[in-house]
Amino acid sequence: MTYKNIDVYTLIEPEVLKLRNIGVETANLDCRLLLSKSLRRRESLYNHQNIFISQSEIAKFQSLIQQRLTGKPVSRIINKRSFWKKEFELNDATLDPRSDSETLIESIIEHYPDKLEFLKIIDLGSGTGCLGLSLLDEYQNSTVSFLDVSQKSLEIVKINSFNFGLSDRSKLIHLDWRNENWDTKLFEIENHNKFDILISNPPYIPTNDIHKLQKEVKEYDPFIALNGGKDGLDAYKLIMPKLRNLIKKNGKIFFEIGKGQENFVSSKAMENGLSPVEYKKDLSGVNRVIVLIIK
């Protein structure tokens, strides 16, 4: 097989221009990530680097660019997404991790500054496991139970936990919070031990608003991970009445919420004996996290 020596930017420049012409703001980064995928490299490639590449690898790269030109996100093409300090594998059953959700991690670290503390944590609706595994990486004496309705999602959590060396402190639980007695089953699985922390990014998009989302979201994220019901609030209504059964006294709950949902979520929390103690804004200035405490 014949290889040619070429610098990265010379190779990707025509593809970068194609992506920029359809409004892709991250065109250069996208091309470099897709080139790495074509070369089966884990490390990042940079514009100034020289590489040896075969014609078949160039063809592979160009085919991946064609997928990107249709609107398919890079993360869905390479089945990986960076979140917090790690790169997570994902599949079509998992929500694509996004930087807004890192606000949840930041908030927990602010509330629990002692990284050596033992914390029993539940990641509710765990998806890729990006939230719970990021916390396990920060709190090295703690454990996380990952609960999801999708067995396929839990398989990805298992893969990511092994990749990061965190599987020994991870527990995978296949349950559906839409079932009336899910909390009783979870309590039994946990040998009647309550949690210190609940972290969750539940679905919170109103059903009729999903079609208004970016193509990369509405066509490639799983509907079940987006759909919050008619008002976007179904998950909170189902979860909150159960939390006093699952979270220790003075334990804390960290929910991601949608724009403008803080008042409803707060009032629903208080109806169920939970006290709102803080909102935390994301980088766009939107109240993205609500922190609740069990009194």
Side-chain angles (χ1 to χ4, degrees), residues 232-276:
L233 300 164
D234 282 3
Y236 307 102
K237 296 172 187 174
L238 290 167
I239 294 167
M240 284 189 180
K242 309 291 190 179
L243 293 184
R244 292 184 69 84
N245 301 332
L246 298 171
I247 311 299
K248 295 176 184 176
K249 187 176 181 182
N250 295 320
K252 292 179 182 175
I253 296 124
F254 298 79
F255 274 126
E256 182 167 331
I257 57 175
K259 186 176 182 179
Q261 292 179 336
E262 56 268 33
N263 290 339
F264 173 87
V265 176
S266 292
S267 62
K268 193 68 181 175
M270 288 186 284
E271 283 176 24
N272 289 283
L274 312 173
S275 300

Side-chain angles (χ1 to χ4, degrees), residues 205-247:
I205 309 297
T207 306
N208 290 335
D209 288 351
I210 292 175
H211 75 279
K212 303 174 188 175
L213 299 173
Q214 292 175 301
K215 182 177 182 179
E216 294 187 1
V217 179
K218 66 184 178 185
E219 292 190 8
Y220 294 99
D221 276 327
F223 182 79
I224 193 173
L226 300 172
N227 181 31
K230 186 176 180 180
D231 58 4
L233 300 164
D234 282 3
Y236 307 102
K237 296 172 187 174
L238 290 167
I239 294 167
M240 284 189 180
K242 309 291 190 179
L243 293 184
R244 292 184 69 84
N245 301 332
L246 298 171
I247 311 299

